[in-house]
């Protein structure tokens, strides 16, 4: 009798261990418990008692999933046991809100699924996109749950849900599987940009559209277009057609770019630089060219003592405010050549006289230039735009200070009277990172510029590295909304547009990784580069 009792006890213990393994496998969402669903249709068959008494194998238990490999990397993944999810013929994309129709149709087309619109029922293989009210949540955040052969991506706003679909697209690329479990993800920085100089080099509309698609898949949310400079003015104008260069983008082409960008939750940020870099405009208005006391013309500089100068530039700002709907607006304000002279007041007596008339007897040419910036900011502010300007358009001292709401686009510390980024931060300003030592891709590598590498950005740069290689103190992190990688076309013919696309490919990926999560990446550079190659 004792032998029989011990045998029964062993069977019970063995069964209990197996049931415990089922609980561990299925309790976090994996479809391995007897009552759980299989990855496609029906319920998983319950194992026989004989199977329960043997060690669990792959047919009955899945290992814990590993975090997805994406660019940028997801910030949190809770693993689970299960087969994961991959798109199959007949699977649906469904939404809980008509506002997600665009996101739903896009990912359905990309993954070869059927867009079914708003549905309440659940089917195996479903990808469900949901808007959920999450108080005080980052609107770009999302939660992606892979469980029981289905995927749900939810977020407080459309942008977050869209970013979740980008993660899923990368996970399932080239036959991949989205791992079982829950991704919780959001960007560290709200502005993740790419700026393109189309003034000095013409880029085709198709090439720009390709970059928009690339940026969207990488979770960038800004595309800057610098379309006015000394060498060219590259967007059609109705009010000043004589300033437009050949070739150029038509407004219809720009609207198509903007529409495509909006579908990817990317804001297109226009820049008409002034009072410098206006050579293309001045060729049509030579009477507004800035001249020295000796009558010599100053390259690209408009005479800001003349009321007509403000009328011309404000007219352009007003015209293009109707074309570009986004909130941010770049006013330029850099490298006004009147201020590189040792004595601007003596070199440009008309500017000195205008400054004193407007701001008092002690006013300087720098004061007049700051007043110009403030006036242009007021023009775009009437269109509910948020102005930004290059850091060398802000001057130390003086009787006139730049308006506090003008954000600083910090690119260099090499200008005359350079101010370190800390000065702007201590003054309470918001500072965007365009650090020219990491983020400037200048065609032809003029002066001291060299083409930036993705590896250097990935390993050495963070959004707090605003100038040089040193980071500002962490307490200022909240004043740095983000940053932008920039392509400048100083020597326009040095590369074709296809060479530019290839040259910026890895720098763009490294930049967005550090804007999404500035902490030290988990992957080595070699691993990150291999991942980028696999994802295409």
């Amino acid at each position: 009798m004792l032998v029989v009792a011990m045998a029964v006890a062993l069977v019970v213990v063995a069964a209990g261990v197996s049931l415990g393994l089922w609980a561990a496998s299925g309790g976090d969402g994996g479809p391995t418990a007897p009552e759980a669903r299989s990855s496609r249709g029906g319920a998983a068959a319950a194992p026989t008692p004989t199977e329960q008494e043997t060690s669990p194998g792959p047919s009955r238990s899945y290992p814990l999933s590993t975090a997805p490999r994406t660019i940028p990397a997801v910030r949190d993944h809770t693993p689970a046991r299960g087969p994961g999810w991959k798109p199959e013929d007949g699977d649906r994309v469904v939404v809980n809100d008509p506002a997600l129709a665009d996101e739903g149709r896009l990912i359905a087309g990309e993954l070869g699924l059927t867009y079914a619109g708003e549905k309440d029922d659940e089917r195996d293989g479903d990808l469900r996109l949901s808007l959920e009210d999450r108080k005080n949540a980052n609107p770009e955040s999302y939660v992606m749950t892979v469980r029981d052969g289905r995927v749900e991506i939810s977020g407080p706003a459309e942008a977050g849900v869209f970013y979740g679909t980008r993660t899923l697209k990368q996970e399932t690329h080239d036959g991949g599987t989205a791992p079982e479990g829950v991704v919780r993800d959001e960007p560290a920085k709200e502005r993740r940009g790419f700026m393109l100089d189309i003034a000095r080099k013409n880029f085709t509309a198709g090439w720009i559209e390709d970059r928009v698609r690339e940026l969207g898949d990488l979770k960038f949310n800004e595309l800057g277009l610098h379309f006015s400079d000394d060498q060219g003015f590259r967007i059609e104008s109705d009010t000043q057609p004589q300033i437009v260069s050949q070739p150029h983008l038509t407004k219809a082409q720009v609207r198509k770019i903007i529409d495509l960008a909006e579908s990817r939750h990317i804001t297109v940020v226009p820049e008409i630089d002034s009072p410098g870099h206006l050579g293309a405009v001045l060729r049509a208005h030579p009477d507004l060219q800035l001249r020295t006391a000796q009558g010599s013309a100053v390259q690209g500089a408009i005479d800001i003592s003349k009321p007509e100068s403000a009328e011309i530039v404000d007219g352009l700002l007003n015209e293009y405010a109707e074309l570009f709907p986004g909130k941010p607006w770049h006013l330029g304000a850099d490298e006004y050549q009147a201020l590189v002279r040792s004595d601007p007041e003596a070199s440009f007596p008309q500017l000195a006289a205008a400054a004193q008339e407007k701001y008092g007897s002690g006013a300087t040419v720098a004061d007049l230039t700051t007043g110009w910036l403030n006036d242009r900011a007021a023009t775009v502010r009437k269109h509910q735009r948020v102005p930004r300007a290059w850091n060398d358009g802000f001057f130390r001292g003086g009787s006139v200070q730049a308006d506090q709401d003008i954000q600083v686009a910090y690119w260099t510390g090499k200008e005359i009277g350079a101010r370190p980024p800390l000065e702007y931060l201590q003054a309470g300003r918001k500072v965007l990172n365009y650090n020219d030592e990491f983020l400037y891709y200048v065609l032809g590598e003029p002066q001291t510029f060299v083409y930036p590498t993705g590896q250097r950005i990935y390993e050495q740069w963070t959004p707090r590295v605003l100038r040089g290689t040193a980071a500002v103190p962490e307490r200022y992190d909240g004043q740095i909304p983000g940053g932008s990688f920039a392509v400048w076309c100083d020597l326009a013919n040095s590369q074709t547009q296809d060479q530019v696309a290839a040259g910026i490919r890895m720098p763009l990926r490294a930049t967005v990784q550090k804007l999404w999560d500035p902490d030290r990446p988990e992957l080595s550079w070699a691993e990150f580069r291999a991942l980028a190659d696999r994802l295409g």
Side-chain angles (χ1 to χ4, degrees), residues 69-233:
R69 294 299 192 194
T70 60
I71 298 175
V74 301
R75 302 188 73 182
D76 181 78
H77 177 253
T78 302
R81 300 181 191 277
W85 181 92
K86 63 170 58 180
E88 295 182 4
D89 290 343
D91 287 350
R92 307 183 305 174
V93 177
V94 297
V95 300
N96 78 338
D97 192 296
L100 294 173
D102 289 344
E103 288 75 16
R105 289 191 177 95
L106 177 62
I107 190 65
E110 291 169 330
L111 300 187
L113 307 179
T114 299
Y115 177 69
E118 294 178 79
K119 300 290 182 182
D120 293 326
D121 64 313
E122 293 184 354
R123 295 183 186 175
D124 284 342
D126 273 356
L127 166 57
R128 178 171 292 275
L129 308 183
S130 302
L131 289 178
E132 294 185 359
D133 185 14
R134 295 175 184 160
K135 190 175 182 181
N136 300 322
N138 183 335
E140 293 187 305
S141 66
Y142 68 92
V143 176
M144 181 169 68
T145 303
V146 180
R147 179 182 294 136
D148 296 345
R150 304 185 188 97
V151 181
E152 179 173 9
I153 299 172
S154 63
E158 296 164 53
V161 174
F162 171 74
Y163 295 136
T165 67
R166 300 306 89 190
T167 295
L168 185 66
K169 181 182 177 183
Q170 289 192 29
E171 288 175 331
T172 58
H173 174 75
D174 199 23
T177 298
E180 204 86 4
V182 181
V183 168
R184 294 176 178 84
D185 201 14
E186 64 180 312
K189 292 300 178 183
E190 64 182 272
R191 307 318 306 167
R192 304 176 301 281
F194 168 58
M195 197 229 73
L196 181 64
D197 171 12
I198 65 172
R200 283 176 273 200
K201 181 179 181 67
N202 179 66
F203 289 86
T204 65
W207 189 93
I208 297 172
E209 290 169 6
D210 286 344
R211 300 289 75 69
V212 168
R213 296 183 185 94
E214 179 181 15
L215 296 172
D217 282 351
L218 293 170
K219 301 173 186 164
F220 281 88
N221 64 3
E222 274 194 9
L223 168 63
L225 292 182
H226 174 93
F227 64 93
S228 170
D229 213 303
D230 295 344
Q231 293 83 352
F233 192 102

Side-chain angles (χ1 to χ4, degrees), residues 291-536:
R291 296 184 178 274
T292 66
Q294 292 74 38
S296 299
V298 180
Q299 173 68 26
I302 201 167
D303 189 336
I304 59 177
S305 71
K306 296 182 176 181
E308 297 84 0
S309 295
E311 292 172 7
I312 290 289
V313 174
D314 281 348
L316 292 171
L317 295 175
N318 288 325
E319 176 182 356
Y320 290 100
E322 295 180 1
L323 179 62
F324 294 94
K327 290 288 186 182
W329 194 288
H330 207 314
L331 294 168
D334 62 312
E335 298 178 328
Y336 187 46
Q337 294 301 301
L339 295 170
V340 304
R341 307 300 173 99
S342 58
D343 187 349
E345 286 70 36
S347 296
F348 305 99
Q350 76 277 32
L351 299 185
Q356 292 167 15
E357 180 180 352
K358 189 170 184 178
Y359 299 112
S361 59
T364 64
V365 174
D367 290 323
L368 187 67
T369 308
T370 301
W372 170 277
L373 172 61
N374 288 340
D375 290 344
R376 306 295 76 76
T379 298
V380 300
R381 208 178 285 119
K382 290 176 183 176
H383 298 281
Q384 292 76 51
R385 303 304 198 264
V386 178
R388 66 179 65 163
W390 300 113
N391 63 285
D392 50 335
F394 296 78
F395 308 110
R396 182 186 283 113
S399 60
V400 182
Q401 294 297 303
D403 292 342
Q404 191 66 26
D405 70 329
I406 303 175
Q407 298 180 354
V408 181
Y410 199 99
W411 71 281
T412 188
K414 304 179 181 71
E415 79 275 15
I416 295 173
R419 300 167 65 187
L422 209 54
E423 283 196 26
Y424 302 100
L425 295 167
Q426 289 170 339
R429 291 189 181 276
K430 290 189 175 182
V431 180
L432 292 153
N433 194 323
Y434 290 76
N435 188 331
D436 65 340
E437 294 189 30
F438 286 92
L439 307 179
Y440 262 33
Y441 191 95
V442 185
L443 296 198
E445 300 179 305
Q447 302 176 47
T448 60
F449 288 107
V450 295
Y451 293 129
T453 67
Q455 182 172 1
R456 187 162 181 261
I457 296 167
Y458 189 77
E459 295 178 344
Q460 299 181 31
W461 180 81
T462 74
R464 289 196 290 118
V465 180
L466 288 160
R467 171 176 168 178
T469 58
V472 299
E474 187 174 2
R475 64 181 177 273
Y476 294 111
D477 188 66
Q479 289 174 237
I480 304 171
S484 185
F485 189 85
V487 169
W488 293 101
C489 302
D490 292 42
L491 300 174
N493 295 324
S494 300
Q495 290 190 341
T496 66
Q497 61 181 16
D498 290 339
Q499 288 173 322
V500 172
I504 66 177
R505 179 176 173 275
M506 287 310 300
L508 281 177
R509 283 152 178 76
T511 299
V512 80
Q513 172 60 47
K514 303 303 281 290
L515 289 167
W516 194 268
D517 184 354
D519 292 341
R520 184 180 181 87
E522 179 183 344
L523 300 183
S524 69
W525 169 250
E527 292 169 329
F528 185 81
R529 185 177 55 199
L531 174 62
D533 291 342
R534 181 174 68 79
L535 295 176

Side-chain angles (χ1 to χ4, degrees), residues 1 7 9 14 16 62 65 112 200 265-266 360 399 519:
M1 293 294 293
Y62 293 95
S65 61
R200 283 176 273 200
H265 296 274
I266 295 170
S399 60
D519 292 341

Side-chain angles (χ1 to χ4, degrees), residues 221-261:
N221 64 3
E222 274 194 9
L223 168 63
L225 292 182
H226 174 93
F227 64 93
S228 170
D229 213 303
D230 295 344
Q231 293 83 352
F233 192 102
R234 299 285 178 185
I235 295 179
E236 174 188 3
S237 173
D238 300 318
T239 64
Q240 294 283 324
Q242 69 274 29
I243 70 174
V244 179
S245 305
Q246 296 295 339
H248 63 268
L249 298 174
T250 66
K251 285 188 175 181
Q253 289 174 317
V254 174
R255 288 189 188 97
K256 186 179 176 186
I257 291 167
I258 291 170
D259 288 345
L260 180 64

